[in-house]
Amino acid sequence: MDSDIALTDIRGEERIYEESDGNLRRRFRESSVTQREFTLPQADRGKDAWLFLAGCFMVEALIWGFPFSFGVFQEYYSTHEPFQSEPSGIAAIGTSSTGIMYLSCPVLFAVFKRWPQVRRNCTLIGLAINAVAVIAASFATEVPHLIITQGVLYAIGGVMIYCPTILFLDEWFVRRKGLAFGMMWAGTGVSGVVLPFIMSGLLTRFGFRTTLRAYVVALVVLALPLLYFVRPRLPLAQTSLQRRLDLNFLRTSIFWIPQSANIVQGLGYFIPNIYLPTYAMSQGMTGTEGTLMLALVNMGVVFGAIWAGALTDRMHVSSVMAICSLGAALAVFVFWGLANSLPMLCLFSLLYGLTAGGFSANYTGIVSRVKDQVAAADTGMIFGFLAAGRGIGAVASGPLSEALLHLQAWKGEAKLGYGTGYGLLIVFTGITAAGGGASWIARRVGWE
């Protein structure tokens, strides 16, 4: 769309307007009782589009960066009272937060499809719930309290902010959709580089109660002004047509094959974020070195999300998924499994974030392929079910990883990382990372 699109409504007349851009065609129906003329902002370019993307980037950084930095809290809660004496379930705090946010996406997208007028208000309500959740967590005295507040309640608020931004971004970017999503998701990585060091320093000096309350202040002060820019591009009347929710894409292999790979990849994806600081401490490294590894994973995510998003605009999505998956599997098996020093673990952290961190940027490519086959499918619902697939992995990885670590398999028998007691965890992470590339194999044999 090289120019703004002017729309005119005439009293008593109903018109259909179309925006066309390559394979994308949007149809809008507008009824009006008064004559008026207005101009849609440009998609893919212009001040408004980039301010919107900047707002999405920062909101993404603030909402997702907190749970993606949970490894620092994992290490603190495991070694300090009142949680040290009963540490069971600590891993579930972080995985329930990310997992429930992902799992709730289809429900929220369906709600917004039926009542689009509530989308912007939901972002403000979600921010308020986030603030209440973190403040409540600061009063916790048992692990279940943290699971409910820092995990479940925080996730409910986070998804209420996150889902509208996805729908709005689909309106603002057309030709550069993959790149735009990648840049937005890179916000998680940027905050994940900075937050672990800030949180680690605050936890060491002030404890978890003051740290959580300080984060609430920062969250509200930084996020509230930015939510002004996170708004729809299209007037509400153009997006409020009531249509039957089309879920026929759930019957197609073109959705379920990449979705299956997405679920498998999600089962292991969050494990390094949760356990790297604890792993570092178990190997005699300092808390700062463990925090450094977590920050390097998130630094890799910044670039991984952008390059993978850009590639999906140019390559078949299954090929990009295979590149991300193969790179992540090699990073796990070689640079974590065979690591015997801090530099090797730092290299693993960076490479893992760069490859595995770019996997979710493939969602835009999957959505495009599904819509090519099922034209009536709703973008938000496809994305929501993909996010839910990742959420299944996130929720399951908490108790599953604790069970694998409890076995202490190969400890003292195998060499290097495989013999540290984390061996099964490393192998499981590597296998699930490789499983993310199954869509490419399916396409090669003609299943997709």
Side-chain angles (χ1 to χ4, degrees), residues 361-377:
N362 290 290
Y363 289 179
T364 56
I366 298 171
V367 169
S368 296
R369 294 213 66 217
V370 172
K371 286 181 71 68
D372 285 343
Q373 183 169 318
V374 186

Side-chain angles (χ1 to χ4, degrees), residues 66 69-77 79-80 191-208 211-212 215 277 281 286-295:
F66 183 62
S69 301
F70 179 73
V72 174
F73 285 94
Q74 163 98 358
E75 189 276 327
Y76 180 88
Y77 292 150
T79 54
H80 292 78
S191 65
V193 173
V194 178
L195 274 183
F197 290 105
I198 296 175
M199 294 299 184
S200 180
L202 290 174
L203 287 168
T204 300
R205 185 171 181 181
F206 300 108
F208 82 99
T211 299
L212 292 174
Y215 185 73
M281 294 287 285
T286 65
T288 301
E289 289 168 336
T291 302
L292 173 63
M293 293 177 205
L294 185 59

Side-chain angles (χ1 to χ4, degrees), residues 291-326:
T291 302
L292 173 63
M293 293 177 205
L294 185 59
L296 288 172
V297 171
N298 290 311
M299 180 184 292
V301 170
V302 175
F303 300 101
I306 294 173
W307 75 258
L311 277 182
T312 59
D313 290 333
R314 295 170 173 80
M315 294 175 60
H316 195 284
V317 64
S318 66
S319 299
V320 186
M321 292 171 72
I323 293 170
C324 293
S325 300
L326 179 61

Side-chain angles (χ1 to χ4, degrees), residues 152-216:
V152 176
L153 190 58
Y154 182 90
I156 293 171
V159 77
M160 291 177 70
I161 301 174
Y162 180 61
C163 286
T165 64
I166 298 296
L167 295 174
F168 298 158
L169 194 146
D170 188 56
E171 298 176 8
W172 278 98
F173 287 87
V174 180
R175 290 193 182 108
R176 303 176 181 177
K177 197 181 298 292
L179 177 62
F181 271 99
M183 291 178 69
M184 182 186 77
W185 287 326
T188 299
V190 170
S191 65
V193 173
V194 178
L195 274 183
F197 290 105
I198 296 175
M199 294 299 184
S200 180
L202 290 174
L203 287 168
T204 300
R205 185 171 181 181
F206 300 108
F208 82 99
R209 301 189 192 280
T210 301
T211 299
L212 292 174
R213 291 164 193 170
Y215 185 73
V216 170

Side-chain angles (χ1 to χ4, degrees), residues 127-140:
L127 182 62
I129 293 174
N130 276 155
V132 170
V134 180
I135 289 174
S138 72
F139 291 96

Side-chain angles (χ1 to χ4, degrees), residues 63 68 143 161 234 239 254 267 390:
I63 298 304
F68 270 75
V143 172
I161 301 174
L234 305 176
T239 57
I254 204 168
L267 285 169
R390 196 171 185 84

Side-chain angles (χ1 to χ4, degrees), residues 72-358:
V72 174
F73 285 94
Q74 163 98 358
E75 189 276 327
Y76 180 88
Y77 292 150
S78 300
T79 54
H80 292 78
E81 294 296 352
F83 313 111
Q84 181 181 10
S85 55
E86 293 289 341
S88 178
I90 288 177
I93 302 168
T95 56
S96 63
S97 178
T98 52
I100 291 172
M101 273 201 269
Y102 284 126
L103 284 169
S104 302
C105 283
V107 177
L108 265 292
F109 283 127
V111 169
F112 295 146
K113 179 78 173 173
R114 177 64 180 83
W115 296 287
Q117 66 273 17
V118 306
R119 294 177 299 177
R120 284 202 80 184
N121 290 336
C122 256
T123 60
L124 296 173
I125 296 170
L127 182 62
I129 293 174
N130 276 155
V132 170
V134 180
I135 289 174
S138 72
F139 291 96
T141 57
E142 299 175 4
V143 172
H145 298 162
L146 291 173
I147 294 175
I148 293 170
T149 54
Q150 191 174 345
V152 176
L153 190 58
Y154 182 90
I156 293 171
V159 77
M160 291 177 70
I161 301 174
Y162 180 61
C163 286
T165 64
I166 298 296
L167 295 174
F168 298 158
L169 194 146
D170 188 56
E171 298 176 8
W172 278 98
F173 287 87
V174 180
R175 290 193 182 108
R176 303 176 181 177
K177 197 181 298 292
L179 177 62
F181 271 99
M183 291 178 69
M184 182 186 77
W185 287 326
T188 299
V190 170
S191 65
V193 173
V194 178
L195 274 183
F197 290 105
I198 296 175
M199 294 299 184
S200 180
L202 290 174
L203 287 168
T204 300
R205 185 171 181 181
F206 300 108
F208 82 99
R209 301 189 192 280
T210 301
T211 299
L212 292 174
R213 291 164 193 170
Y215 185 73
V216 170
V217 174
L219 176 66
V220 173
V221 169
L222 294 174
L224 193 57
L226 292 168
L227 287 178
Y228 171 79
F229 298 105
V230 182
R231 59 183 187 268
R233 171 176 168 261
L234 305 176
L236 181 60
Q238 296 182 4
T239 57
S240 60
L241 288 178
Q242 298 305 317
R243 295 188 302 167
R244 183 178 62 86
L245 197 61
D246 192 319
L247 298 178
N248 285 326
F249 69 90
L250 294 175
R251 302 177 181 177
T252 65
S253 62
I254 204 168
F255 171 78
W256 280 110
I257 289 175
Q259 172 71 320
S260 299
N262 176 49
I263 293 172
V264 171
Q265 197 264 359
L267 285 169
Y269 172 71
F270 300 94
I271 289 176
N273 286 76
I274 297 171
Y275 285 102
L276 273 176
T278 309
Y279 177 82
M281 294 287 285
S282 72
Q283 303 308 302
M285 300 178 190
T286 65
T288 301
E289 289 168 336
T291 302
L292 173 63
M293 293 177 205
L294 185 59
L296 288 172
V297 171
N298 290 311
M299 180 184 292
V301 170
V302 175
F303 300 101
I306 294 173
W307 75 258
L311 277 182
T312 59
D313 290 333
R314 295 170 173 80
M315 294 175 60
H316 195 284
V317 64
S318 66
S319 299
V320 186
M321 292 171 72
I323 293 170
C324 293
S325 300
L326 179 61
L330 288 174
V332 172
F333 286 125
V334 176
F335 294 101
W336 190 5
L338 301 180
N340 60 358
S341 63
L342 177 63
M344 279 279 282
L345 285 171
C346 287
L347 185 58
F348 157 71
S349 301
L350 188 61
L351 290 175
Y352 184 79
L354 187 65
T355 51

